[in-house]
Amino acid sequence: MELFQEGTYRPIGVLFDTPVYRQIFQNCWHMPSYKVHVAMVAELLRLQKENQLLSEVTPEDMARHLHVMSKRSLRVQLLDFQLQEYDNDDDDEVRMLLSMAREVNDSMRMRDIQLDAQRLISAPELMPPNFISAKMMKEAKAIGEALTERHQQTSCSEHLQQPRDVVLDVVPKVLQGLWVPKPRLFLTMPSMKLDKMAVGVTKGVEDGVLAALGSTTHEVNMSRSTRDEMITSIIKTLHEAYPEDIRRKMLNSFSPQLMHHVAEVTAEQITALFQPRGKQEDTMSLPEEPTTLHEKPTTLHEGHTKLPDKTTSLPEEPTSLHEKPTSLNDEPTSLPDETTFLHEQSPVKVEESRKKKKSRMNRFIRWMQKRIFTRIHPQ
């Protein structure tokens, strides 16, 4: 089933043509604030190198701290205000999807900041003159003290996380590890070009994990080292699945087949965190149709709320960021009960069953897209 097509996850494809998504995109990938954060992390790394900052504080800690501080800016507060329209939305799917889109882009941005700052420290000749100032150095010392104090107050490196938390922590970094080219150009925000693909694959992984677990109430203690080992394992598995030349072509074209494979491998490994060894499934597949398709038909016609005019206040997203991928040829693994049924039937009935399955998937995609469209697309 072609869940991935044209660089996106089909069930949420309409999201990317809406003003609210463009607002999220432009707010995240804001070059002036990006440069400020790169300069600040570079200065913090310099202080650390000179033993003026606790060595246990990581570049990830630094970038995340700056991200939290940036929420006080007028630019970010304006976006928060515009997104409040969806906080009390009866349709949680739309609200959670917008939150995911924002978190995925923010996660990739923070990772790009870390890598650019680390490159500045290893190659000081790349440091732009305006990245060094007395004010910057003074502010960096204050931030360094705050980071040290926070680290000393945190006694445990593990954090209790639910499935969605793990998905958001793992998937964007997996995709950056696969897609961001090396060597990367300095101060170009390379992950910006992954935005639609990354949001879609993250949603696909979440759907796969929740379909396997059957609940969002599971929790697991997850340390950064465990997370990083998982990311390395996923990338290694995908590298071994394709010869390098073929893999490179698939990466360059945002191959739907590769995107689907990434989603399945990642969902399988994340699901294994929450399941006892004896209960882990032999195979994982992305869900084909949620049970709510027939449980909440009224949501198709609810919420025709217009976006406020101010959603178009920032410049629109560039249209040249994405290349159109080839079409997906592989279908997700069928649900167990359907698999048994297919093997027992004649070729004619097998074909009929496949057509019915495809029809159900297409109905689900139209249903999901209409839910999103009626809530966040201007009338």
Side-chain angles (χ1 to χ4, degrees), residues 11-24:
I12 63 170
V14 296
L15 170 70
F16 305 115
D17 294 326
T18 61
V20 66
Y21 181 80
R22 289 196 292 270
Q23 187 80 345
I24 290 171

Side-chain angles (χ1 to χ4, degrees), residues 107-339:
S107 173
M108 294 194 298
R109 176 183 182 272
M110 284 187 278
R111 181 64 176 161
D112 279 358
I113 287 169
Q114 297 168 49
L115 294 177
D116 273 345
Q118 289 172 310
R119 187 176 180 188
L120 279 181
I121 293 300
S122 62
E125 67 276 7
L126 295 175
M127 181 76 74
N130 61 345
F131 273 32
I132 305 173
S133 67
K135 181 179 178 182
M136 178 76 70
M137 296 170 69
K138 181 180 179 180
E139 189 172 348
K141 286 185 178 181
I143 292 173
E145 292 172 359
L147 284 167
T148 298
E149 182 179 355
R150 174 175 294 180
H151 182 83
Q152 292 171 341
Q153 292 174 350
T154 305
S155 58
C156 181
S157 61
E158 292 188 341
H159 302 280
L160 204 60
Q161 294 188 333
Q162 294 184 344
R164 182 183 178 89
D165 302 322
V166 177
V167 169
L168 286 169
D169 202 15
V170 170
V171 180
K173 296 176 180 63
V174 167
L175 300 177
Q176 285 176 297
L178 287 168
W179 263 274
V180 174
K182 296 178 181 179
R184 60 202 296 275
L185 297 177
F186 181 59
L187 288 178
T188 59
M189 304 190 298
S191 301
M192 175 177 65
K193 296 181 180 181
L194 306 182
D195 71 301
K196 296 177 182 178
M197 182 271 291
V199 173
V201 173
T202 302
K203 177 60 176 169
V205 171
E206 182 189 47
D207 288 350
V209 170
L210 295 184
L213 296 177
S215 170
T216 61
T217 58
H218 297 74
E219 291 184 327
V220 66
N221 278 322
M222 183 84 164
S223 66
R224 283 187 182 176
S225 60
T226 301
R227 177 202 68 189
D228 292 343
E229 288 172 3
M230 177 182 291
I231 291 169
T232 301
S233 173
I234 293 169
I235 292 176
K236 181 180 179 182
T237 300
L238 292 163
H239 279 181
E240 292 174 348
Y242 306 94
E244 184 176 356
D245 56 337
I246 295 177
R247 186 177 72 246
R248 180 54 51 193
K249 290 179 181 178
M250 297 174 81
L251 290 170
N252 290 340
S253 64
F254 283 165
S255 163
Q257 180 180 350
L258 180 58
M259 291 160 59
H260 181 84
H261 195 181
V262 171
E264 286 203 320
V265 171
T266 308
E268 181 178 3
Q269 294 209 24
I270 292 177
T271 300
L273 284 175
F274 296 91
Q275 290 180 331
R277 288 184 179 273
K279 294 185 178 181
Q280 291 178 16
E281 299 290 340
D282 293 333
T283 58
M284 276 288 302
S285 62
L286 297 178
E288 293 195 23
E289 183 176 13
T291 55
T292 53
L293 175 58
H294 301 292
E295 293 173 356
K296 293 179 65 179
T298 56
T299 59
L300 292 175
H301 306 286
E302 293 174 356
H304 295 262
T305 306
K306 279 194 176 182
L307 287 172
D309 293 338
K310 62 182 74 176
T311 53
T312 57
S313 58
L314 292 182
E316 291 191 355
E317 172 187 353
T319 57
S320 60
L321 292 179
H322 306 280
E323 300 178 15
K324 288 189 176 181
T326 56
S327 60
L328 174 62
N329 297 319
D330 292 349
E331 295 184 359
T333 306
S334 304
L335 295 177
D337 55 340
E338 292 184 358
T339 303

Side-chain angles (χ1 to χ4, degrees), residues 343-357:
H343 286 295
E344 294 174 350
Q345 304 302 310
S346 66
V348 174
K349 291 188 176 181
V350 167
E351 184 62 28
E352 289 177 353
S353 178
R354 287 175 178 169
K355 289 181 179 179
K356 289 180 181 179
K357 184 171 62 176

